[in-house]
Amino acid sequence: MPGNELIIVEYLLNNLGNIELPLLGIISEIGSPKNGPDYTILSRTTDIGQVISEDAKKKADIYLNGKGISLKQSGSSFSYNRLQRADLKNVYEMLNFNNIPNKLSQIDDEVSAFHNGQLDRRDRPWRNFFVEADFKALLNFLMMKGSPNNGISEHPAEFILEAPIIINSLDDIKVFTFDNYFNHYKDKFVVSIRRQWIGQDSRSEHARALGLSKKEGNLPWVFDNVVGQPRSGWKNDWNENDRKTVYFLMLTKLS
């Protein structure tokens, strides 16, 4: 979910039955996905705490009039977080892409070039790696339908709702089909190369990097030499020689 999901839900609840959105009509029902295929009806702002976030199994953040909705904050936003190299291979196979080894090698080469200081920025044009049909299929699957590890979601998203952090009027809210969203923003999407370190002084980030490094499919993006510096610094109880740089991808929409 974006950072403003609760603000969006609060605005919709406060105006329930009184606002009409494109593609959805007058909003008469708001729901929050449950563990399972059903959703819980929200009827007042005190119900907002039932909105569940940060669950990769749920592509729909909320339901409006029974339709699964992916919420996005206006401006820059992450379309998909922490895409692993192993996951990338899995989803290519799910989507029946052709010539998968070559497609993976293209991204491997760019990650390696970034690690070796040969690229001037970490946000890379998606056209460096994909023809448009493939990138659109990948983004559609990851944003709306499922995830590499969990397959098709019990809560797929049918529409995308975009709103700013502060909603001043109904005009601030935009509703898209995925096709419309992609066509509107396709020149804004980038593939962001991100890194973390085994041995960095953040328990969660160190553990995540260590976990990534243990998957065989991620090894092309794991480097024994340290490049960059974690903001948290380094762990005192971790051997300096055992530090590693580990990469993953973020699919990002720039403002």
Side-chain angles (χ1 to χ4, degrees), residues 9 11-32 39-44 47 62-67 69 161 170:
V9 175
Y11 180 87
L12 295 173
L13 280 170
N14 284 334
N15 293 279
L16 196 63
N18 297 315
I19 58 174
E20 184 173 359
L21 294 176
L23 303 173
L24 297 169
I26 295 172
I27 304 303
S28 59
E29 181 186 272
I30 302 174
S32 176
Y39 58 89
T40 302
I41 301 298
L42 308 179
S43 58
R44 51 191 178 274
D47 294 334
I62 60 171
Y63 283 86
L64 297 179
N65 295 348
K67 306 292 187 182
I69 307 295
L161 187 153
L170 188 59

Side-chain angles (χ1 to χ4, degrees), residues 101-232:
N102 184 61
K103 285 180 167 65
L104 292 172
S105 291
Q106 286 180 288
I107 297 186
D108 291 346
D109 290 346
E110 199 120 347
V111 170
S112 180
F114 180 76
H115 179 77
N116 292 319
Q118 297 167 342
L119 301 179
D120 60 350
R121 62 188 188 279
R122 65 183 180 182
D123 291 336
R124 313 308 301 163
W126 60 263
R127 291 181 176 87
N128 284 14
F129 317 111
F130 303 96
V131 297
E132 183 171 312
D134 284 353
F135 182 67
K136 184 177 180 181
L138 174 68
L139 199 63
N140 186 23
F141 176 77
L142 294 175
M143 286 184 65
M144 311 293 284
K145 297 180 179 179
S147 61
N149 294 319
N150 300 308
I152 299 299
S153 174
E154 290 183 324
H155 296 281
E158 189 171 344
F159 298 103
I160 298 166
L161 187 153
E162 184 179 72
I165 191 70
I166 298 175
I167 302 173
N168 294 310
S169 74
L170 188 59
D171 292 336
D172 290 334
I173 299 176
K174 311 295 181 186
V175 181
F176 300 88
T177 64
F178 176 80
D179 283 347
N180 290 340
Y181 186 81
F182 182 83
N183 291 334
H184 188 71
Y185 288 120
K186 66 181 177 181
D187 293 328
K188 299 285 189 180
F189 293 117
V190 294
V191 177
S192 301
I193 302 172
R194 299 293 183 92
R195 62 190 169 207
Q196 54 198 159
W197 297 265
I198 295 173
Q200 69 181 97
D201 193 23
S202 164
R203 181 179 297 178
S204 60
E205 294 297 298
H206 164 78
R208 190 176 286 117
L210 197 59
L212 291 177
S213 72
K214 291 180 178 179
K215 284 189 179 180
E216 183 178 354
N218 289 331
L219 292 182
W221 296 358
V222 178
F223 297 84
D224 290 336
N225 63 316
V226 169
V227 170
Q229 174 77 22
R231 284 179 293 181
S232 59

Side-chain angles (χ1 to χ4, degrees), residues 53-115:
S53 62
E54 302 303 328
D55 189 340
K57 296 179 183 178
K58 299 177 175 69
K59 298 288 102 173
D61 297 311
I62 60 171
Y63 283 86
L64 297 179
N65 295 348
K67 306 292 187 182
I69 307 295
S70 173
L71 300 177
K72 293 296 176 186
Q73 187 169 310
S74 302
S76 297
S77 63
F78 294 122
S79 302
Y80 192 81
N81 296 335
R82 297 185 178 276
L83 184 60
Q84 303 176 33
R85 205 282 191 171
D87 288 349
L88 193 63
K89 180 178 185 292
N90 291 343
V91 77
Y92 281 3
E93 291 171 348
M94 285 184 195
L95 295 173
N96 295 314
F97 284 2
N98 58 26
N99 203 6
I100 291 175
N102 184 61
K103 285 180 167 65
L104 292 172
S105 291
Q106 286 180 288
I107 297 186
D108 291 346
D109 290 346
E110 199 120 347
V111 170
S112 180
F114 180 76
H115 179 77

